[in-house]
Amino acid sequence: MNSAKALLTTVLFLGLAACSTLPETVTYILPNPPIRDNSQVPDLSAPGIRIDTITLAPYLSDQGMVIASEGNRITTTRNHRWGEPMRDGIRRYLSRSLHSPHFQLVDSKSPVSSTARYAIHLQFDAFHSIEFSHAIAEGTWSLIELGTREVVLHESFQFASNLEIQGYEGIVAAQADLLDQLSRTLLHRIHSSIPIQHPTHAAQHN
């Protein structure tokens, strides 16, 4: 009996010791993009654009941070995790960075989303860090005119960003930079592809 109690005590002690040595789980979120200046406020007659779908490769469905190594081996970390679903973080970042005087960005979940004239669809085939060297983003995006379902644009994207900070904080900063590169590309291509609304004569004199 005494030996059984001693064994049970030893097992409980080892279990508690193991729990106390488990590494702490650290969560991260993508930072918000810089605040745009007031000159980016669109005219009320500018067409509305909404971000409709953001599709992620299956390996990005977990909230663990993803790191690739040689041989295309993908590791999803257990103790360094995103504090929100990656799709939500991407949508939040792009919703705050896609501001232009030539169109109004409409929240796809708002009651006025049906007023949008165009919709953006995004497909991420890759969005992760290569070891602790650099991060990559690859995929395709489309701009659809909702009234006619015409595909105005359908293009691929491929960006890379070196880690300027060591560790997981560097991954977060690099992936935010990738989204900044993507947003600037979207703005440039959308500006060159949709009719530009010019202020009315009355608005010019107000």
Side-chain angles (χ1 to χ4, degrees):
M1 180 64 73
N2 290 335
S3 61
K5 288 183 177 180
L7 178 60
L8 179 59
T9 301
T10 301
V11 170
L12 290 173
F13 175 78
L14 292 175
L16 290 172
C19 290
S20 65
T21 58
L22 288 176
E24 178 186 7
T25 298
V26 183
T27 57
Y28 306 85
I29 62 170
L30 290 165
N32 290 325
I35 298 175
R36 304 289 182 180
D37 59 64
N38 292 333
S39 64
Q40 299 300 310
V41 176
D43 183 81
L44 293 178
S45 62
I49 296 180
R50 70 185 188 219
I51 301 173
D52 261 12
T53 58
I54 299 176
T55 306
L56 304 180
Y59 78 94
L60 294 171
S61 60
D62 189 273
Q63 285 183 227
M65 299 186 76
V66 177
I67 302 174
S69 56
E70 293 183 6
N72 294 323
R73 184 179 67 183
I74 296 291
T75 300
T76 302
T77 60
R78 293 183 178 181
N79 302 310
H80 295 270
R81 304 180 62 80
W82 293 106
E84 61 186 338
M86 178 56 68
R87 183 180 290 104
D88 293 350
I90 293 173
R91 183 181 294 276
R92 173 174 54 80
Y93 192 99
L94 294 179
S95 295
R96 298 188 181 201
S97 61
L98 289 176
H99 289 279
S100 164
H102 303 309
F103 63 81
Q104 302 179 65
L105 193 67
V106 180
D107 185 348
S108 61
K109 297 181 180 180
S110 74
V112 298
S113 64
S114 59
T115 64
R117 182 175 175 183
Y118 300 92
I120 296 172
H121 297 266
L122 292 145
Q123 164 77 42
F124 283 79
D125 300 319
F127 191 52
H128 60 262
S129 172
I130 307 296
E131 296 184 336
F132 286 93
S133 169
H134 62 282
I136 63 170
E138 299 175 1
T140 58
W141 73 282
S142 302
L143 181 69
I144 310 296
E145 185 170 6
L146 294 171
T148 61
R149 306 306 300 177
E150 176 189 356
V151 180
V152 180
L153 291 168
H154 180 73
E155 300 178 348
S156 61
F157 61 84
Q158 185 175 24
F159 304 111
S161 180
N162 293 329
L163 269 67
E164 302 294 341
I165 308 171
Q166 293 185 348
Y168 291 95
E169 290 83 359
I171 295 177
V172 174
Q175 291 195 250
D177 180 65
L178 293 173
L179 293 179
D180 188 64
Q181 294 182 56
L182 176 60
S183 66
R184 284 186 278 115
T185 297
L186 296 183
L187 285 172
H188 173 72
R189 295 296 294 128
I190 291 172
H191 286 168
S192 64
S193 303
I194 66 174
I196 300 300
Q197 300 288 331
H198 296 286
T200 62
H201 181 75
Q204 289 177 339
H205 288 78
N206 288 338

